[in-house]
Amino acid sequence: MGVRHISTTMPAAAARARSVLATAWSCAVTTEIGRDELLGAHSVTERGAVRLDPPEDSALAAALICAPRGAPSTLVEFADVSPVPVRDRVRSRLWLSGSLTATHDELLFEPTTVVLHDTHGRTGIDLEEFALADPDPLAHAESRLLTHLADSHPDAVEQLTRLIAAESLSGVVNVKPVAVDRYGLTLRLERVSSQADVRLPFHASVEDLGQVTERMHALLTKARLLRRPALRPAPPEPWGSTES
């Protein structure tokens, strides 16, 4: 992922994987025949199986015809992309491998291996844990929450940097909210040639969307009470500027 992570409490890997699966709009499907990039052509069952609805002329359709028992080995890939523009925008990748079968009017993919690659590294996830896990309660609202915070409240983001140790802010030129889940908010600290993610934990986990405002206000109150300056990244020099 190219990002160093300074972490506190995080959702379990299975929950993070199910959040990626629940919110992804596109996926890539690879079989022995070829690879398809599908957009808005999948849905997810309660236990994490994937229903696929590829075009009739897709490699996936051909693979079903050519597979010896009509169940081709399949790899399905999902990418989790930050809704806020940042360097290194892909936050995680989820790989599911297994077999694909045709049932009635749909294709059903049942994973036999689940691997999540994010800022914590590459993690193999137990199939039963994956099947039983729920997506984070903020997963579907995360994009809206982060873009609103970044676009409408940049001053609040700057205030929140008071909660970050001074040594972690050394050389930082930009700070943006890059993730939020039931346990806290993650800020991306960008330097000239590197970046790191820092999590700011909520004082209590979020059970539903209605609790987010209180948790964010509590973080801001805590930040304002600290007697340390907030980071104010210097704006980039305009193109074509020269030294006098």
Side-chain angles (χ1 to χ4, degrees):
M1 294 292 104
V3 178
R4 185 170 61 87
H5 199 95
I6 305 170
S7 64
T8 56
T9 304
M10 287 283 294
R16 300 200 307 271
R18 288 300 297 265
S19 294
V20 173
L21 190 60
T23 57
W25 179 245
S26 63
C27 63
V29 184
T30 304
T31 64
E32 296 92 336
I33 299 298
R35 178 181 174 94
D36 291 304
E37 301 282 347
L38 303 181
L39 183 65
H42 78 276
S43 61
V44 182
T45 71
E46 184 176 336
R47 289 180 60 86
V50 182
R51 297 187 183 99
L52 297 168
D53 184 23
E56 292 182 0
D57 59 350
S58 65
L60 198 52
L64 280 168
I65 297 172
C66 298
R69 290 180 296 277
S73 297
T74 305
L75 174 68
V76 184
E77 305 170 64
F78 298 88
D80 172 38
V81 180
S82 168
V84 176
V86 290
R87 185 194 307 148
D88 228 347
R89 199 164 178 174
V90 176
R91 302 182 299 187
S92 63
R93 296 186 185 277
L94 177 65
W95 291 283
L96 309 177
S97 60
S99 60
L100 187 70
T101 56
T103 60
H104 305 295
D105 297 328
E106 66 181 14
L107 304 181
L108 184 65
F109 171 78
E110 295 275 3
T112 56
T113 302
V114 179
V115 177
L116 177 69
H117 185 199
D118 58 13
T119 55
H120 299 273
R122 195 178 298 242
T123 306
I125 299 172
D126 178 81
L127 286 177
E128 191 62 15
E129 289 182 14
F130 178 75
L132 295 176
D134 291 320
D136 189 86
L138 301 185
H140 289 287
E142 184 190 30
S143 177
R144 182 172 74 254
L145 292 170
L146 291 176
T147 52
H148 177 74
L149 182 58
D151 295 343
S152 301
H153 302 286
D155 55 333
V157 176
E158 289 183 0
Q159 289 292 324
L160 288 171
T161 62
R162 292 183 177 187
L163 299 172
I164 301 172
E167 57 268 23
S168 295
L169 296 175
S170 177
V172 171
V173 297
N174 203 7
V175 180
K176 291 186 178 180
V178 75
V180 65
D181 56 61
R182 69 188 308 165
Y183 295 113
L185 173 71
T186 300
L187 298 181
R188 172 68 55 85
L189 309 181
E190 293 186 334
R191 298 177 176 84
V192 173
S193 58
S194 66
Q195 57 273 332
D197 288 350
V198 177
R199 285 182 59 78
L200 305 180
F202 296 142
H203 67 84
S205 64
V206 171
E207 301 304 322
D208 59 62
L209 184 59
Q211 297 175 337
V212 176
T213 299
E214 186 277 333
R215 301 298 191 270
M216 290 298 301
H217 284 170
L219 279 179
L220 283 166
T221 298
K222 182 179 178 181
R224 288 165 182 152
L225 291 174
L226 292 177
R227 294 182 179 276
R228 64 172 71 157
L231 176 73
R232 296 190 180 277
E237 293 185 5
W239 289 102
S241 61
T242 58
E243 296 182 359
S244 56

